[in-house]
Amino acid sequence: MYDVVVVGGGPSGATAAADLARDGHKVALLDREGRIKPCGGAIPPRLIADFDIPEDQLVARITTARMVSPTGRQVDIPVEDGFVGMVDRKDFDPFLRARAEDAGATRFTGTFLRIDRNNGWPRVIFRNREGREQHLTTRLIVGADGAKSRVGRAEVPGAEDVPLVFAYHEIVAAPRDLALYDPVRCDVIYDGRISPDFYGWVFPHGDTCSIGMGTERPDVDLKDATAALREACGLSECETLRKEGAPIPMKPLKRWDNGQDVLLVGDAAGVVAPSSGEGIYYAMVAGRAAATATAACLASGRPRDLALARKIFMREHRSVFRVLASMQNAYYRSDSRRERFVSLCHDIDVQRLTFEAYMNKKLVKARPLAHLKIGFKNLAHLSGLVRETHV
């Protein structure tokens, strides 16, 4: 009999399992293993500090972000007084699962099938590596099994309605030609020929590099678009080491729990930042909030305490998500809008406030005049009052 069974061992599920186990709860962590999510791998300093990520997990330290427009305009934005850490999910996720196990969680490998409540306490039914069905009896279930969550679709109304971006990337051997590639710079490509409604990326991972793109449109061939991106960046000849694809949710669910014994977190709850698609930090924060909520529910016996997870998360991050969603809706509609967005990124106030918000994961309120200036510039760019100058 477990207190909590966590279904899914990515950053969100592994974090929830580790926190609960450290607090003395009996926890099972069920994961399929062998699946690597397509991910640029960027993590901010706040994540490194809040979740005690060791140095050996960082494969690169990024000091510059380059924005590239449809016409080839390039804007380099320096990361002032810090860096953005890069991780490779093939190593980072197993590290988090192992840390949960070290904290006391019991690991199981298998594929979630269903939840059975016919014999009193809920039982998580899964197929093990031998193909046989097993069950784990528990008081509560945390569904951290990603976008299109099987747990969510079976248990939480509305879980199937979250909008999705389909992401695809290829991990390649990092090129040696520094004229084409900077190992401490992330390139973000806003170009409708690569993605008609999102963006492409080239992110350094030390000895390797992630090249990919995302889109909500099912008619776009992700592999062809990535091939075009590699060609445009001069990276076609790099050795391809891995190819990975998966859906990424773009909006937090209105409800994360079933009002009884199931709570969703991470991609299953839709906690990926709009506009940027950033998910690792928000997944781990949601996992920690899930641990708090399930611990409260176990102590009180009140199912309504499961709703604390969403309340805790949204209280801190709702405003950031709203601003990012508005930016995506405003600028990702067309190449002309994307051109104006990259033009806006020339502004030093935009650069500083963007990275302050990214590093600290909150809207920066220290410079209200800068915010006011940005608001006027944003309106000017969207209305076309600003004349484009290509550099």
Side-chain angles (χ1 to χ4, degrees):
M1 177 67 159
Y2 290 93
D3 293 324
V4 183
V5 171
V6 180
V7 180
S12 193
T15 298
D19 281 6
L20 285 163
R22 285 193 200 100
D23 287 343
H25 296 288
K26 189 174 181 181
V27 181
L29 177 59
L30 172 65
D31 189 72
R32 288 187 294 171
E33 290 194 341
R35 174 185 175 275
I36 307 170
K37 181 183 175 181
C39 178
I43 61 173
R46 181 172 173 184
L47 183 154
I48 296 170
D50 287 358
F51 295 94
D52 193 24
I53 304 303
E55 180 73 23
D56 62 11
Q57 284 297 313
L58 301 182
V59 295
R61 290 169 171 249
I62 300 303
T63 57
T64 305
R66 171 171 288 181
M67 308 297 177
V68 183
S69 79
T71 61
R73 177 203 304 266
Q74 298 177 356
V75 180
D76 285 2
I77 305 177
V79 182
E80 295 183 353
D81 302 320
F83 66 93
V84 175
M86 303 299 292
V87 297
D88 192 322
R89 295 290 293 273
K90 77 174 178 60
D91 303 313
F92 188 62
D93 289 16
F95 158 75
L96 295 176
R97 289 192 286 269
R99 189 159 70 172
E101 189 172 22
D102 290 343
T106 303
R107 295 268 303 276
F108 293 88
T109 301
T111 301
F112 170 83
L113 296 176
R114 62 189 180 278
I115 296 171
D116 177 18
R117 298 184 180 85
N118 292 326
N119 297 313
W121 292 109
R123 300 192 307 162
V124 174
I125 313 297
F126 68 98
R127 183 181 296 110
N128 64 22
R129 282 185 284 195
E130 289 73 41
R132 297 192 301 271
E133 287 193 6
Q134 284 184 240
H135 71 268
L136 301 169
T137 305
T138 184
R139 296 177 65 185
L140 299 174
I141 299 113
V142 171
D145 53 335
K148 296 188 175 181
S149 162
R150 289 188 177 185
V151 176
R153 287 168 180 255
E155 295 289 334
V156 178
E160 70 281 1
D161 297 330
V162 63
L164 300 171
V165 162
F166 295 90
Y168 173 80
H169 79 159
E170 297 177 359
I171 298 292
V172 306
R176 298 183 182 275
D177 187 350
L178 298 185
L180 298 173
Y181 173 83
D182 187 336
V184 294
R185 186 190 72 218
C186 283
D187 291 357
V188 184
I189 297 90
Y190 297 99
D191 187 338
R193 292 167 295 185
I194 303 301
S195 171
D197 55 355
F198 208 58
Y199 63 82
W201 68 81
V202 179
F203 286 180
H205 284 183
D207 293 335
T208 64
C209 171
S210 165
I211 306 172
M213 52 78 66
T215 179
E216 288 189 50
R217 288 177 44 174
D219 60 316
V220 175
D221 189 309
L222 280 69
K223 293 183 179 180
D224 285 351
T226 301
L229 177 58
R230 291 181 63 168
E231 178 72 26
C233 296
L235 303 177
S236 295
E237 301 304 315
C238 295
E239 179 188 3
T240 302
L241 305 175
R242 302 194 321 258
K243 299 179 179 181
E244 296 147 4
I248 299 174
M250 280 290 112
K251 187 176 182 180
L253 295 177
K254 294 181 179 179
R255 181 170 182 171
W256 294 8
D257 67 280
N258 68 349
Q260 181 180 358
D261 50 21
V262 172
L263 172 63
L264 303 180
V265 290
D267 281 12
V271 291
V272 174
S275 176
S276 68
E278 181 191 0
I280 299 176
Y281 172 77
Y282 295 110
M284 295 180 74
V285 169
R288 181 149 288 172
T292 299
T294 50
C297 182
L298 290 168
S300 69
R302 297 189 300 260
R304 68 175 181 270
D305 286 346
L306 293 176
L308 287 172
R310 189 181 189 279
K311 291 178 181 177
I312 292 169
F313 182 91
M314 297 304 288
R315 182 168 58 232
E316 182 170 2
H317 301 292
R318 177 183 284 108
S319 295
V320 171
F321 273 49
R322 284 178 175 170
V323 169
L324 291 175
S326 296
M327 188 177 77
Q328 180 174 339
N329 291 334
Y331 284 110
Y332 287 17
R333 294 180 180 180
S334 66
D335 272 355
S336 62
R337 292 284 185 102
R338 284 185 276 269
E339 196 71 42
R340 294 187 179 279
F341 172 66
V342 174
S343 178
L344 183 64
C345 290
H346 275 287
D347 188 273
I348 192 66
D349 288 320
V350 172
Q351 294 181 13
R352 286 177 176 169
L353 289 177
T354 296
F355 269 104
E356 286 178 14
Y358 175 79
M359 306 286 257
N360 300 312
K361 286 295 170 249
K362 60 181 68 175
L363 293 178
V364 182
K365 300 178 181 178
R367 296 199 297 275
L369 287 178
H371 280 281
L372 187 61
K373 284 171 58 183
I374 290 170
F376 281 119
K377 291 171 184 176
N378 187 46
L379 289 173
H381 278 270
L382 284 173
S383 65
L385 293 176
V386 173
R387 179 174 295 177
E388 300 295 330
T389 57
H390 301 289
V391 295

